[in-house]
């Protein structure tokens, strides 16, 4: 039987969970960087230079990787972890995968210019909004979980509701992605365009999928 004690903050000046928040902030920064430009691109407007944008996102992702390495290289010994170490490491991997998927989405779109058919532009923007909302909802879920683990909060039910919100938005992402992929595949356009758009949509869906994984791992951390 493993005894879990909220030792974070007592054994050192910095908790590994604080590093997760710092890493999560990079996701929010990445979403903010690409959201407006992607909406502009999808609707055929005059957008920020994509090479500049992909470079900025690459830099954010590299910074996030260095945060992740720093977290993993400075973990306390197993006895002093407030959560099982494999859960903690799985969470860091899933959270990093959200950023990787965002980076992949941008690279697929920047590969070559694609004229997105007008009748699917709105659905694509709605999918982007839904993915962004799903990742934004992960922030309160992470912070609420840390509050419980550190003994700073007793609101277990409120924390579980944060997980449910992520899951509900993930369901919305999945529904929008399935509808959109069907419409894209039915389009009478160059197959290279179809292939490129399908991969772009898949990457957005991966962001939602990994965000849901993060929420499930947080739920496991507080399970009794």
């Amino acid at each position: 039987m493993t005894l879990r004690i909220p030792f974070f903050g007592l054994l050192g000046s910095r908790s590994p969970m604080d590093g997760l928040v710092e890493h999560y902030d990079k996701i929010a920064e990445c979403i903010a960087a690409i959201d407006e430009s992607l909406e502009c691109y999808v609707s055929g407007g005059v957008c920020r230079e994509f090479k500049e944008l992909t470079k900025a996102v690459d830099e954010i992702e590299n910074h996030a990787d260095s945060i992740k390495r720093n977290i993993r290289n400075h973990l306390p010994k197993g006895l002093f972890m407030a959560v099982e170490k494999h859960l903690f490491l799985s969470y860091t991997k899933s959270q990093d995968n959200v950023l990787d998927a965002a980076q992949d989405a941008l690279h697929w779109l920047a590969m070559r210019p694609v004229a997105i058919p007008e009748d699917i532009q709105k659905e694509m923007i709605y999918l982007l909004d839904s993915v962004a909302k799903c990742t934004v909802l992960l922030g309160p879920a992470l912070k609420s979980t840390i509050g419980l683990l550190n003994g700073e909060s007793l609101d277990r039910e409120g924390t579980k509701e944060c997980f449910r919100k992520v899951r509900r938005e993930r369901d919305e992402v999945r529904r929008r992605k399935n509808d959109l992929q069907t419409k894209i595949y039915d389009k009478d356009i160059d197959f290279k365009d179809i292939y490129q758009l399908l991969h772009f949509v898949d990457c957005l869906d991966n962001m939602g999928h990994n965000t849901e994984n993060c929420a499930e791992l947080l739920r496991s951390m507080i399970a009794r």
Side-chain angles (χ1 to χ4, degrees):
M1 178 178 176
T2 303
L3 180 62
R4 296 180 182 176
I5 304 174
F7 276 142
F8 288 159
L10 300 178
L11 299 177
S13 58
R14 182 177 170 80
S15 155
M17 299 299 272
D18 292 336
L20 291 184
V21 175
E22 188 182 355
H23 184 268
Y24 169 80
D25 287 343
K26 290 295 159 192
I27 294 178
E29 194 178 327
C30 181
I31 293 294
I34 68 175
D35 192 48
E36 184 180 347
S37 291
L38 283 179
E39 287 193 14
C40 174
Y41 182 102
V42 167
S43 59
V46 179
C47 311
R48 181 179 171 184
E49 175 59 48
F50 249 67
K51 284 186 179 177
E52 179 191 338
L53 182 63
T54 52
K55 184 180 176 185
V57 171
D58 286 346
E59 287 172 355
I60 293 171
E61 207 279 334
N62 288 338
H63 189 183
D65 277 345
S66 69
I67 294 171
K68 182 184 69 175
R69 284 193 297 273
N70 188 52
I71 294 170
R72 293 186 169 200
N73 291 338
H74 295 87
L75 286 179
K77 293 186 181 298
L79 177 62
F80 301 118
M81 289 290 291
V83 298
E84 293 176 14
K85 190 173 283 186
H86 81 276
L87 280 177
F88 183 87
L89 293 175
S90 295
Y91 181 87
T92 60
K93 180 171 174 33
S94 286
Q95 189 166 275
D96 199 56
N97 286 344
V98 177
L99 269 173
D100 288 344
Q103 194 178 24
D104 289 344
L106 204 58
H107 279 283
W108 270 103
L109 210 55
M111 196 174 293
R112 53 187 278 279
V114 180
I116 299 176
E118 192 173 342
D119 60 338
I120 62 171
Q121 290 176 3
K122 192 176 289 184
E123 285 92 340
M124 198 161 278
I125 289 171
Y126 286 158
L127 176 62
L128 281 168
D129 287 344
S130 196
V131 170
K133 186 176 178 183
C134 192
T135 58
V136 165
L137 288 170
L138 180 62
L142 174 60
K143 290 169 185 171
S144 186
T145 301
I146 293 172
L148 272 179
L149 292 172
N150 285 347
E152 298 161 354
S153 166
L154 298 176
D155 187 11
R156 182 175 294 272
E157 188 53 37
T159 304
K160 289 181 179 177
E161 180 57 25
C162 290
F163 305 153
R164 295 186 196 107
K165 286 180 180 176
V166 173
R167 195 179 308 128
R168 284 196 289 269
E169 195 58 37
R170 162 58 181 152
D171 289 341
E172 184 67 9
V173 169
R174 186 184 291 109
R175 184 189 68 76
R176 290 189 183 283
K177 169 249 184 183
N178 289 338
D179 290 347
L180 187 54
Q181 284 194 324
T182 300
K183 289 179 181 176
I184 291 171
Y185 201 74
D186 281 344
K187 285 287 145 198
D188 186 18
I189 56 178
D190 192 306
F191 190 74
K192 284 195 292 188
D193 291 348
I194 291 177
Y195 188 80
Q196 195 170 342
L197 291 175
L198 288 178
H199 272 281
F200 171 66
V201 169
D202 264 341
C203 292
L204 294 182
D205 183 59
N206 279 340
M207 291 177 68
H209 173 70
N210 283 295
T211 303
E212 183 184 36
N213 280 348
C214 286
E216 287 301 309
L217 288 163
L218 291 176
R219 186 186 59 77
S220 299
M221 289 179 189
I222 67 166
R224 288 173 168 164

